[in-house]
Amino acid sequence: MTRIQAVNDFVVKFANVNGSGSASANELFAKSIIRMGVPVSPRNIFPSNIQGLPTWYEVRVTDQGYLGRRGGVDMMVAMNPQTWDEDVAEISPGGYLFYDNTKPLPKSRFRDDITVIGVPLTEICNAAYSDPRQRQLFKNIIYVGALSSLLDIDPAAIEKLFAEQYRGKEKLLDSNIKALNLGRDYAAAHLDCDIGLKVKPSDRVGDRIFIDGNSAAALGLVYGGATVCAWYPITPSSSLAESFIKYCQTLRVDPETGKNLFASVQAEDELASIGMVIGAGWNGARAFTATSGPGVSLMTEFIGLAYFAEIPATIINVQRGGPSTGMPTRTQQADILSCAYASNGDTKHVLLFPEDPHECFEFSATALDLADRLQTPVFVMTDLDIGMNQRLSAPFVWDDARAYDRGKVMTEEELEAGKTFGRYLDVDGDGIPYRTYPGTHPKRGAYFTRGTTKDRYARYSEEGPVYVDNMERLVKKFETAKSLVPQPLTRPAKKATRNGVLFFGSTSPSMHEALDRLEAAGEHLDAMRIRAYPFCDDVMDFIARHDRVFIVEQNRDGQLRGMLINEGGIDPAKMIAVLHYDGTPITARFIVADIADKLARYNVTPIKKVAS
Amino acid sequence: MTYIAKPKLHHPSLTRNKAGYTRRDYEGPVSTLCAGCGHDSISAAIIQACFDLDIQPHRVAKLSGIGCSSKTPTYFLGNSHGFNSVHGRMPSVLTGANLANRDLLYLGVSGDGDSASIGLGQFAHSMRRGVNMVYIVMNNGVYGLTKGQFSATADKGSKSKRGVINSDEPIDLASLALQLGATFVARSFSGDKTQLVPLIEAAIAHRGAAFIDVISPCVAFNNHPGSTKSYDYVREHNEAVNRIDFITKRDEITTDYAPGTVQEVVQHDGSILRLRKVDESYDANNRIAAMNYSQEHHAKGEVVTGLLYVDPEPQELHGYLHTVDAPFNRLSSRELCPGSARLAKINASLR
């Protein structure tokens, strides 16, 4: 048997029972490696359950900084008897199995082609602790201790993390360090620690921060000036609203009065949450809701109202697997169509596609500006993979000179001076009319907001030409949006090529890794990351410049591909879908294999076998 | 409806209120509802109440859902911002609007289809939250715009114009409002302006969730014998518990009343509600008793009207949320953005 040998480049997967307190121990494991300067990318794989069902935590240690999911498992920390067989089967040949050997297991439950490392975790724990809850929690810390010895993780990094976490709670600090050392001591005394997987100090983390996308988006909304949050709990978005409240409790309390500079209402359903956002937006406050696909389905009628009545609304959609309840704890990019065209009738909505927590922060703040500027709903299309996993990303940036763009709002002074006000009147050709906040002027600027058709002065009208005039202006407004939304980013191939690839959102890290590997295999593709809808002209130019364009998406039907074909009038034959939608995050391995396979079928160039 | 537009010029001798407005300044364009519609009487009562209370029209936000009743905000307070939202969802839009600017007066107008059927959930939850608003349901027991289907407030046994007998239990919105924590609950009748106008005035002065269920007969589809929401039926079965005088703090109290016949409620803003009791045993500060009273009389086929319940010390959503006094829509990045220095600290804590 050849044991897997790898330094700073391997995958450890923890198989745990939901509710056993493993999450914080596993996070500790990941963070301690980051503190050694080695990038890691962890992912929670969890069921729709609070206690008892299996849950996994997959840590990719990656000195090269590839933060996408890799696939494959080099070491399994098998802590869950329920999933033992599948966990053992998942280990790559030559890999390692770490388990609690307090109770002997028959040989038939193991494999010959892996290295088995047994630690009597329960026995150690029971000898040291008598309280049942302590036994459960510290068992997790003990395995982190043992693993740190096996993998050469610096215990000082772990102790420092403890010290930060338990500042002022010395008793907890001491007991955690004790548990850690129980694991380390056992490993030193009883295990052959010369295994093939090692962590070596490095300097590849830089100034990056480690945070989940939901928290990042919440902070972006605080910085962007959101004052009203209306939400209904739904996985995987709930932690976004909760983070917003948490941040606001420190960042948004008026120092003089102690009163809140924000309001958060947990609504009775998604219809009410979007209704509140629209009411607040109509009345001039920056408001948002966080939801997921099923929530957007419920909000659809209101989204049409906000589009047609032209009311700012910011919606963060943390996408999960659909349709219906679908895969509530798995990731997908499958709400693109349902958000882009949400509502009955002809509508188009602005979508932003962040790639990581850094962009979740930036785009959430930007969405508030765009919603005000364009007077329309703006979606931030994140997903479970970004939203609920901590990810290394560039630090957050805020320019103190940046003022909120409140868009075209007519003031009391302007109304008093006699400036013409037509709520749906385009005065300067960008398709965006002026609005007034209720209560602005005693005699001027009041209008009636409605979802029915109206003329330029907000008067009810069902006249065909009046209706068409308004609908055409809305198209013009959407054209204006093209220059305001985040522009696409290109990554030109190192050699001239007629092949291109488009991707967006959480696919980004795996795509960049895939591009590196394709390039190493001699396959060159120009790449473009789409960051928003409406699609900028650059996107259409990119497609026009290439004979074949791969569109990588995490949904079944190639939703973005369909939109591109439709909006750009593009020949579908040149648009090749690369689709991954089983609920797990897309991997570079998948992208490379799929693109290589398709290129081979198109018989474009001889393909060198690409190692996976 | 009439097609004759209202003249734009006002007679110079029209009386002005303390805010300097004539009654005409509180009107809107001419109503497009059916001649004799109860809803138009309620619009007139709203106009009267706002005029009487010297309210600046532009400081009112009027919101509605969909239906005949929800069309009425067009016909009153033409200088106020209005929002005709989606069917049954006015309460959430109003709640959001209220959060954005706590300084305006929020007037929610809805119907029995809008609030008791499609929007029952939003109605209920806006009451639970204690949104500071006046929520008026123009209740005719029937869908007017779609031509005469029963609504959820139609009484069991009530007969439709087509002769169908309603077999479903009715939803009593006032009882629901009482149970769900509304701090001002009244019922009235569109045909009884002397009762309705002071009730609206009192509701406007109330700082909390104020709900008024106004029985408002539909002359087109629900004003026939066998209907329990017809003008005749309501007049015959109207069981008023009290008659209300709404007194702003400036007004001097001069009239004398026999002991036990009057209940005075001082509201938070100093205004006084003087309830001239029709039923001497009725206590408008007792929520549980109000629920019982309303149910007992409904079982007898009577329509209990008047101020059913008022909490003189109401709480409201902004209080629960502990929000700043300034309206959110006036705050800028100076108040709202924590700034780059703070962000640098946050970044440092995430490494």
mmCIF file of all heavy atoms in Angstrom, chain A residues 61-85:
data_model
loop_
_atom_site.group_PDB
_atom_site.id
_atom_site.type_symbol
_atom_site.label_atom_id
_atom_site.label_comp_id
_atom_site.label_asym_id
_atom_site.label_seq_id
_atom_site.Cartn_x
_atom_site.Cartn_y
_atom_site.Cartn_z
ATOM 1 N N VAL A 61 -7.004 21.549 3.011
ATOM 2 C CA VAL A 61 -5.775 22.287 3.313
ATOM 3 C C VAL A 61 -5.096 22.533 1.978
ATOM 4 O O VAL A 61 -4.842 21.583 1.232
ATOM 5 C CB VAL A 61 -4.864 21.472 4.261
ATOM 6 C CG1 VAL A 61 -3.598 22.256 4.591
ATOM 7 C CG2 VAL A 61 -5.621 21.090 5.536
ATOM 8 N N THR A 62 -4.829 23.784 1.652
ATOM 9 C CA THR A 62 -4.404 24.077 0.283
ATOM 10 C C THR A 62 -3.389 25.214 0.241
ATOM 11 O O THR A 62 -3.746 26.382 0.253
ATOM 12 C CB THR A 62 -5.629 24.386 -0.615
ATOM 13 O OG1 THR A 62 -5.194 25.001 -1.821
ATOM 14 C CG2 THR A 62 -6.633 25.307 0.063
ATOM 15 N N ASP A 63 -2.141 24.850 0.208
ATOM 16 C CA ASP A 63 -1.086 25.858 0.190
ATOM 17 C C ASP A 63 -1.200 26.746 -1.046
ATOM 18 O O ASP A 63 -0.872 27.924 -1.018
ATOM 19 C CB ASP A 63 0.286 25.175 0.217
ATOM 20 C CG ASP A 63 1.325 26.059 0.910
ATOM 21 O OD1 ASP A 63 0.930 26.804 1.834
ATOM 22 O OD2 ASP A 63 2.509 25.995 0.534
ATOM 23 N N GLN A 64 -1.721 26.169 -2.130
ATOM 24 C CA GLN A 64 -1.875 26.947 -3.363
ATOM 25 C C GLN A 64 -3.058 27.907 -3.281
ATOM 26 O O GLN A 64 -3.256 28.726 -4.174
ATOM 27 C CB GLN A 64 -2.083 26.003 -4.546
ATOM 28 C CG GLN A 64 -0.821 25.259 -4.937
ATOM 29 C CD GLN A 64 -1.173 24.083 -5.822
ATOM 30 O OE1 GLN A 64 -1.809 23.126 -5.367
ATOM 31 N NE2 GLN A 64 -0.779 24.155 -7.087
ATOM 32 N N GLY A 65 -3.845 27.760 -2.248
ATOM 33 C CA GLY A 65 -4.966 28.685 -2.063
ATOM 34 C C GLY A 65 -6.174 28.374 -2.914
ATOM 35 O O GLY A 65 -6.973 29.263 -3.210
ATOM 36 N N TYR A 66 -6.333 27.112 -3.291
ATOM 37 C CA TYR A 66 -7.547 26.732 -4.030
ATOM 38 C C TYR A 66 -8.674 26.509 -3.035
ATOM 39 O O TYR A 66 -8.687 25.527 -2.297
ATOM 40 C CB TYR A 66 -7.305 25.456 -4.835
ATOM 41 C CG TYR A 66 -6.361 25.658 -6.008
ATOM 42 C CD1 TYR A 66 -5.377 24.721 -6.288
ATOM 43 C CD2 TYR A 66 -6.485 26.778 -6.841
ATOM 44 C CE1 TYR A 66 -4.522 24.890 -7.377
ATOM 45 C CE2 TYR A 66 -5.635 26.952 -7.918
ATOM 46 C CZ TYR A 66 -4.659 26.009 -8.185
ATOM 47 O OH TYR A 66 -3.824 26.178 -9.252
ATOM 48 N N LEU A 67 -9.620 27.420 -3.044
ATOM 49 C CA LEU A 67 -10.629 27.389 -1.981
ATOM 50 C C LEU A 67 -11.920 26.687 -2.381
ATOM 51 O O LEU A 67 -12.861 26.597 -1.610
ATOM 52 C CB LEU A 67 -10.928 28.825 -1.515
ATOM 53 C CG LEU A 67 -9.696 29.589 -0.986
ATOM 54 C CD1 LEU A 67 -10.094 30.997 -0.549
ATOM 55 C CD2 LEU A 67 -9.025 28.858 0.168
ATOM 56 N N GLY A 68 -11.965 26.187 -3.601
ATOM 57 C CA GLY A 68 -13.137 25.399 -3.993
ATOM 58 C C GLY A 68 -13.081 24.033 -3.329
ATOM 59 O O GLY A 68 -12.062 23.642 -2.761
ATOM 60 N N ARG A 69 -14.194 23.325 -3.404
ATOM 61 C CA ARG A 69 -14.183 21.968 -2.865
ATOM 62 C C ARG A 69 -13.313 21.117 -3.780
ATOM 63 O O ARG A 69 -13.373 21.253 -5.001
ATOM 64 C CB ARG A 69 -15.609 21.433 -2.844
ATOM 65 C CG ARG A 69 -15.698 20.081 -2.189
ATOM 66 C CD ARG A 69 -17.143 19.615 -2.075
ATOM 67 N NE ARG A 69 -17.198 18.391 -1.320
ATOM 68 C CZ ARG A 69 -17.877 17.311 -1.702
ATOM 69 N NH1 ARG A 69 -18.592 17.326 -2.798
ATOM 70 N NH2 ARG A 69 -17.865 16.231 -0.951
ATOM 71 N N ARG A 70 -12.459 20.252 -3.193
ATOM 72 C CA ARG A 70 -11.566 19.466 -4.040
ATOM 73 C C ARG A 70 -12.218 18.174 -4.489
ATOM 74 O O ARG A 70 -12.102 17.777 -5.630
ATOM 75 C CB ARG A 70 -10.265 19.137 -3.278
ATOM 76 C CG ARG A 70 -9.189 18.553 -4.174
ATOM 77 C CD ARG A 70 -8.094 17.855 -3.399
ATOM 78 N NE ARG A 70 -8.571 16.605 -2.797
ATOM 79 C CZ ARG A 70 -7.795 15.775 -2.098
ATOM 80 N NH1 ARG A 70 -6.519 16.074 -1.892
ATOM 81 N NH2 ARG A 70 -8.278 14.667 -1.578
ATOM 82 N N GLY A 71 -12.946 17.540 -3.536
ATOM 83 C CA GLY A 71 -13.440 16.180 -3.795
ATOM 84 C C GLY A 71 -12.401 15.188 -3.306
ATOM 85 O O GLY A 71 -11.203 15.483 -3.286
ATOM 86 N N GLY A 72 -12.838 14.022 -2.882
ATOM 87 C CA GLY A 72 -11.920 13.025 -2.352
ATOM 88 C C GLY A 72 -11.570 13.327 -0.906
ATOM 89 O O GLY A 72 -11.646 14.464 -0.465
ATOM 90 N N VAL A 73 -11.218 12.268 -0.166
ATOM 91 C CA VAL A 73 -10.898 12.447 1.247
ATOM 92 C C VAL A 73 -9.585 11.739 1.543
ATOM 93 O O VAL A 73 -9.447 10.550 1.279
ATOM 94 C CB VAL A 73 -12.023 11.853 2.141
ATOM 95 C CG1 VAL A 73 -11.637 11.928 3.613
ATOM 96 C CG2 VAL A 73 -13.341 12.567 1.887
ATOM 97 N N ASP A 74 -8.620 12.493 2.078
ATOM 98 C CA ASP A 74 -7.332 11.882 2.416
ATOM 99 C C ASP A 74 -7.322 11.340 3.829
ATOM 100 O O ASP A 74 -6.649 10.375 4.124
ATOM 101 C CB ASP A 74 -6.208 12.906 2.238
ATOM 102 C CG ASP A 74 -6.150 13.418 0.809
ATOM 103 O OD1 ASP A 74 -6.205 12.577 -0.113
ATOM 104 O OD2 ASP A 74 -6.109 14.641 0.609
ATOM 105 N N MET A 75 -8.051 12.023 4.703
ATOM 106 C CA MET A 75 -8.181 11.494 6.063
ATOM 107 C C MET A 75 -9.621 11.661 6.532
ATOM 108 O O MET A 75 -10.191 12.738 6.409
ATOM 109 C CB MET A 75 -7.251 12.218 7.047
ATOM 110 C CG MET A 75 -7.470 11.747 8.491
ATOM 111 S SD MET A 75 -6.508 12.677 9.699
ATOM 112 C CE MET A 75 -5.033 11.682 9.747
ATOM 113 N N MET A 76 -10.190 10.572 7.034
ATOM 114 C CA MET A 76 -11.541 10.636 7.582
ATOM 115 C C MET A 76 -11.440 10.551 9.099
ATOM 116 O O MET A 76 -10.795 9.639 9.623
ATOM 117 C CB MET A 76 -12.379 9.468 7.041
ATOM 118 C CG MET A 76 -13.802 9.423 7.569
ATOM 119 S SD MET A 76 -14.827 10.793 6.978
ATOM 120 C CE MET A 76 -15.092 10.296 5.267
ATOM 121 N N VAL A 77 -12.072 11.513 9.772
ATOM 122 C CA VAL A 77 -12.190 11.439 11.224
ATOM 123 C C VAL A 77 -13.607 10.920 11.485
ATOM 124 O O VAL A 77 -14.576 11.655 11.420
ATOM 125 C CB VAL A 77 -11.956 12.827 11.864
ATOM 126 C CG1 VAL A 77 -12.072 12.747 13.377
ATOM 127 C CG2 VAL A 77 -10.588 13.372 11.458
ATOM 128 N N ALA A 78 -13.697 9.608 11.681
ATOM 129 C CA ALA A 78 -15.013 8.951 11.701
ATOM 130 C C ALA A 78 -15.554 8.898 13.123
ATOM 131 O O ALA A 78 -15.187 8.035 13.906
ATOM 132 C CB ALA A 78 -14.887 7.550 11.117
ATOM 133 N N MET A 79 -16.408 9.847 13.429
ATOM 134 C CA MET A 79 -16.944 9.944 14.779
ATOM 135 C C MET A 79 -18.424 9.550 14.847
ATOM 136 O O MET A 79 -19.065 9.720 15.859
ATOM 137 C CB MET A 79 -16.791 11.388 15.294
ATOM 138 C CG MET A 79 -15.350 11.869 15.391
ATOM 139 S SD MET A 79 -14.387 10.896 16.556
ATOM 140 C CE MET A 79 -15.202 11.320 18.089
ATOM 141 N N ASN A 80 -18.952 9.073 13.740
ATOM 142 C CA ASN A 80 -20.386 8.781 13.718
ATOM 143 C C ASN A 80 -20.647 7.350 13.279
ATOM 144 O O ASN A 80 -20.484 7.011 12.103
ATOM 145 C CB ASN A 80 -21.080 9.757 12.757
ATOM 146 C CG ASN A 80 -22.597 9.612 12.809
ATOM 147 O OD1 ASN A 80 -23.115 8.729 13.492
ATOM 148 N ND2 ASN A 80 -23.278 10.481 12.085
ATOM 149 N N PRO A 81 -21.046 6.489 14.225
ATOM 150 C CA PRO A 81 -21.276 5.082 13.881
ATOM 151 C C PRO A 81 -22.336 4.907 12.784
ATOM 152 O O PRO A 81 -22.243 3.977 11.984
ATOM 153 C CB PRO A 81 -21.780 4.466 15.198
ATOM 154 C CG PRO A 81 -21.495 5.455 16.270
ATOM 155 C CD PRO A 81 -21.344 6.793 15.625
ATOM 156 N N GLN A 82 -23.316 5.813 12.743
ATOM 157 C CA GLN A 82 -24.393 5.702 11.742
ATOM 158 C C GLN A 82 -23.861 5.664 10.320
ATOM 159 O O GLN A 82 -24.457 5.060 9.442
ATOM 160 C CB GLN A 82 -25.287 6.955 11.776
ATOM 161 C CG GLN A 82 -26.248 7.121 12.922
ATOM 162 C CD GLN A 82 -26.961 8.478 12.806
ATOM 163 O OE1 GLN A 82 -27.969 8.589 12.145
ATOM 164 N NE2 GLN A 82 -26.420 9.507 13.445
ATOM 165 N N THR A 83 -22.799 6.449 10.074
ATOM 166 C CA THR A 83 -22.330 6.600 8.689
ATOM 167 C C THR A 83 -20.973 5.934 8.480
ATOM 168 O O THR A 83 -20.288 6.206 7.498
ATOM 169 C CB THR A 83 -22.213 8.095 8.336
ATOM 170 O OG1 THR A 83 -21.332 8.729 9.290
ATOM 171 C CG2 THR A 83 -23.556 8.804 8.391
ATOM 172 N N TRP A 84 -20.600 5.093 9.405
ATOM 173 C CA TRP A 84 -19.267 4.491 9.389
ATOM 174 C C TRP A 84 -18.909 3.887 8.028
ATOM 175 O O TRP A 84 -17.871 4.202 7.451
ATOM 176 C CB TRP A 84 -19.177 3.434 10.493
ATOM 177 C CG TRP A 84 -17.898 2.642 10.464
ATOM 178 C CD1 TRP A 84 -17.653 1.491 9.781
ATOM 179 C CD2 TRP A 84 -16.669 2.984 11.133
ATOM 180 N NE1 TRP A 84 -16.368 1.072 9.976
ATOM 181 C CE2 TRP A 84 -15.742 1.971 10.807
ATOM 182 C CE3 TRP A 84 -16.276 4.023 11.968
ATOM 183 C CZ2 TRP A 84 -14.439 1.981 11.298
ATOM 184 C CZ3 TRP A 84 -14.983 4.017 12.452
ATOM 185 C CH2 TRP A 84 -14.081 3.022 12.113
ATOM 186 N N ASP A 85 -19.803 3.041 7.522
ATOM 187 C CA ASP A 85 -19.451 2.308 6.298
ATOM 188 C C ASP A 85 -19.225 3.245 5.120
ATOM 189 O O ASP A 85 -18.251 3.128 4.398
ATOM 190 C CB ASP A 85 -20.545 1.277 5.957
ATOM 191 C CG ASP A 85 -20.535 0.118 6.967
ATOM 192 O OD1 ASP A 85 -19.476 -0.084 7.614
ATOM 193 O OD2 ASP A 85 -21.572 -0.550 7.110
#
